[in-house]
Amino acid sequence: MRIAIIGAGVIGLNTALALISRGAEVTVFDREGVAAGASRGNAGIFADYAVLPESSPDMLRQVPRMLLQPDGPLSLRWRYLPRIAPWLLRFLAAGRPARVKHITLAMAALMDHVRGDWDQVLAEIGAEDLRVTRGALLAYTSRRAFEADRAAWQAKAEHGACDVEPVMGQTLHDMEPALNRDLLHYAIHLPNLSHCLNPHGLVERLAQAVRDRGGELRHHEVTGLHPTEAGVRLHLPDGAAVDFDRAVVCAGAHSAALTRSLGLKIPLETERGYNVTLPAPGVALSRPVSIPEKGYYMTPMSVGLRIGGGVELAGLKAPPRWSRVEVMARHAETVLPGLNRAGEARWMGFRPAMPDTLPVIGPVPGAERVLLAFGHGHLGLTMGATTGRMIAGHVYGSNHRIDPIPYLPTRFT
Ligand SMILES: Cc1cc2nc3c(=O)[nH]c(=O)nc-3n(C[C@H](O)[C@H](O)[C@H](O)COP(=O)(O)OP(=O)(O)OC[C@H]3O[C@@H](n4cnc5c(N)ncnc54)[C@H](O)[C@@H]3O)c2cc1C
């Protein structure tokens, strides 16, 4: 089977590998080349603990305060409000208790497989050196904030998504001596968490593995696609068209433009995130440390210390607002006394965000030769290998390990 994949990020390339291993002849199209999107600069956390939806009654209670905080973890460009309003309404609806239960079960079903699937992919492509398991800490400045988050962590632990250990005072500082002991007193320790030492490097290795197995990577935009009698036709900007037996849309936050050409309206938005990578931070962390009150992670990587996160709702077109990352980096300077920011590299990425947190994985209703794999939000690195295998399962019609229904595009018809 000749299969086109649109998008050479962590989702598209995992999908390519999974399809090649089932015997497909694969061509991956990307208008900017390998790892041009969110997969390039993310925080590198294999966050298999993240089974709760982003929208929850608890989170919604905090939104007004967060929006009013100029240095808070969430910001909305008010001019963008009319555009994003329908998505926000769906986001609110996803926070209803019955929906939260449904989404949590569906996320937990995926998360059960992500570690094992990455084990397999990393071994297959010789990239086991890029993932380490050193745990992570979520550190708090106040007991109130720590206690407020504990219930959510307990809920995640109850779903089997992670082990959780509260740590305090001296124990915290013995674990990470570089943290400011006057500022941080309480933390949640996730002892089994893994992280990636170089997300960009990982996607490059996936791309090389695709080439080594006979896949083709084409530096080309796809402007639209439509089903034909025998397969799928892809349209290229120069007016050319290419035919395939199947096509998979893995264009991250940009996927909605392509699904519109199929007459399908999927409520995909972007949650923009920012970070800086410090090549010589001058202080050492042995594991990722998050400051949840400020919405950022500090991840030690082979490329330096990466500091960032946050959510900005401003669409795909607005220019970056670098003050967003400056606020996080300045706070990190207080958390890590002596932090050296010389030579730092700034980055902004577009998370492909669904209002209900659930990614879209599966065939387009009425045009089953086109499949969709996008909308992984904050968790695309985490779910990359599992998504690839799910798409291969849809294309080759095997029994699914995971009930595919909660992620199907049919939920929007
Ligand atoms: C600040 C930040 C931190 C994050 N941290 C984490 C984390 O710690 N853990 C985690 O699991 N996830 C994290 N994420 C989320 C994760 O990075 C994304 O969910 C994931 O990278 C999405 O992968 P993707 O392949 O779907 O999209 P992308 O990586 O964005 O790739 C899409 C590709 O499609 C191409 N494309 C788009 N349109 C077209 C077209 N018309 N024709 C051809 N090519 C096209 C683009 O050029 C791009 O290369 C983070 C994201 C951000 C922004």
Side-chain angles (χ1 to χ4, degrees):
M1 206 170 336
R2 292 181 64 243
I3 304 182
I5 290 173
I6 306 162
V10 72
I11 301 297
L13 292 167
N14 266 295
T15 302
L17 264 187
L19 288 168
I20 290 172
S21 75
R22 303 289 287 268
E25 201 180 295
V26 162
T27 305
V28 183
F29 291 83
D30 199 297
R31 63 182 171 203
E32 291 179 65
V34 169
S39 306
R40 187 184 197 87
N42 60 53
I45 309 294
F46 289 101
D48 50 0
Y49 58 76
V51 295
L52 301 183
E54 270 198 74
S55 174
S56 66
D58 218 32
M59 197 270 173
L60 297 177
R61 265 193 297 278
Q62 297 177 41
V63 165
R65 185 177 48 83
M66 284 195 221
L67 284 175
L68 292 172
Q69 261 179 310
D71 63 344
L74 175 66
S75 84
L76 167 68
R77 299 240 187 133
W78 294 103
R79 231 178 310 152
Y80 195 63
L81 183 58
R83 277 287 301 278
I84 202 172
W87 185 92
L88 286 173
L89 290 176
R90 284 176 181 258
F91 183 86
L92 291 178
R96 290 198 311 259
R99 290 288 296 149
V100 168
K101 198 168 162 198
H102 163 83
I103 295 164
T104 305
L105 290 175
M107 288 299 286
L110 272 173
M111 291 301 182
D112 266 356
H113 293 272
V114 300
R115 184 178 291 269
D117 289 343
W118 268 120
D119 285 348
Q120 208 174 320
V121 168
L122 293 174
E124 208 179 301
I125 67 170
E128 285 154 310
D129 57 309
L130 292 181
R131 186 185 60 174
V132 290
T133 303
R134 298 189 195 142
L137 283 167
L138 293 95
Y140 295 85
T141 59
S142 75
R143 185 164 194 117
R144 194 187 49 77
F146 169 68
E147 293 294 348
D149 266 14
R150 264 178 86 171
W153 283 103
Q154 284 310 332
K156 289 172 196 167
E158 276 159 27
H159 281 279
C162 55
D163 291 333
V164 173
E165 299 168 355
V167 290
M168 291 178 206
Q170 191 57 41
T171 316
L172 170 61
H173 295 288
D174 288 345
M175 290 172 81
E176 291 296 346
L179 293 177
N180 183 343
R181 56 173 58 229
D182 297 328
L183 194 66
L184 301 168
H185 307 283
Y186 312 94
I188 284 161
H189 180 214
L190 308 175
N192 302 326
L193 192 102
S194 301
H195 76 276
C196 179
L197 293 175
N198 182 351
H200 182 192
L202 173 58
V203 184
E204 289 286 359
R205 293 243 204 129
L206 285 165
Q208 193 52 47
V210 168
R211 289 189 201 98
D212 292 346
R213 287 157 181 73
E216 190 189 351
L217 270 81
R218 288 181 64 179
H219 193 152
H220 230 302
E221 179 167 17
V222 174
T223 53
L225 70 170
H226 73 261
T228 59
E229 224 160 80
V232 186
R233 180 158 298 164
L234 262 58
H235 300 279
L236 309 180
D238 50 12
V242 243
D243 289 338
F244 288 88
D245 300 314
R246 299 277 188 283
V248 193
V249 179
C250 305
H254 306 274
S255 300
L258 291 164
T259 59
R260 271 195 295 273
S261 74
L262 297 162
L264 193 62
K265 269 186 94 178
I266 295 203
L268 176 72
E269 255 300 333
T270 182
E271 293 183 21
R272 298 149 57 116
Y274 294 84
N275 61 42
V276 285
T277 305
L278 282 47
V283 288
L285 287 177
S286 54
R287 53 174 73 71
V289 175
S290 165
I291 310 293
E293 291 154 280
K294 300 291 175 190
Y296 69 88
Y297 250 108
M298 300 181 285
T299 314
M301 294 184 173
S302 60
V303 287
L305 182 66
R306 181 161 293 166
I307 300 171
V311 167
E312 183 186 43
L313 302 175
L316 292 167
K317 295 202 177 114
R321 191 172 276 172
W322 295 115
S323 58
R324 297 282 312 148
V325 72
E326 186 54 29
V327 165
M328 293 186 265
R330 288 231 183 101
H331 192 266
E333 287 178 303
T334 66
V335 164
L336 289 174
L339 188 68
N340 173 29
R341 293 179 54 193
E344 71 184 20
R346 298 186 301 191
W347 179 79
M348 182 188 75
F350 297 107
R351 297 185 191 92
M354 299 303 298
D356 58 4
T357 311
L358 294 173
V360 182
I361 305 170
V364 171
E368 280 76 10
R369 294 194 189 96
V370 181
L371 296 102
L372 310 181
F374 58 77
H376 296 76
H378 293 239
L379 299 165
L381 171 69
T382 308
M383 300 194 278
T386 302
T387 301
R389 282 191 63 168
M390 288 174 77
I391 289 290
H394 280 293
V395 171
Y396 285 94
S398 59
N399 283 337
H400 292 283
R401 298 172 304 160
I402 304 169
D403 174 6
I405 289 173
Y407 327 98
L408 289 177
T410 42
R411 69 185 202 263
F412 306 107
T413 52

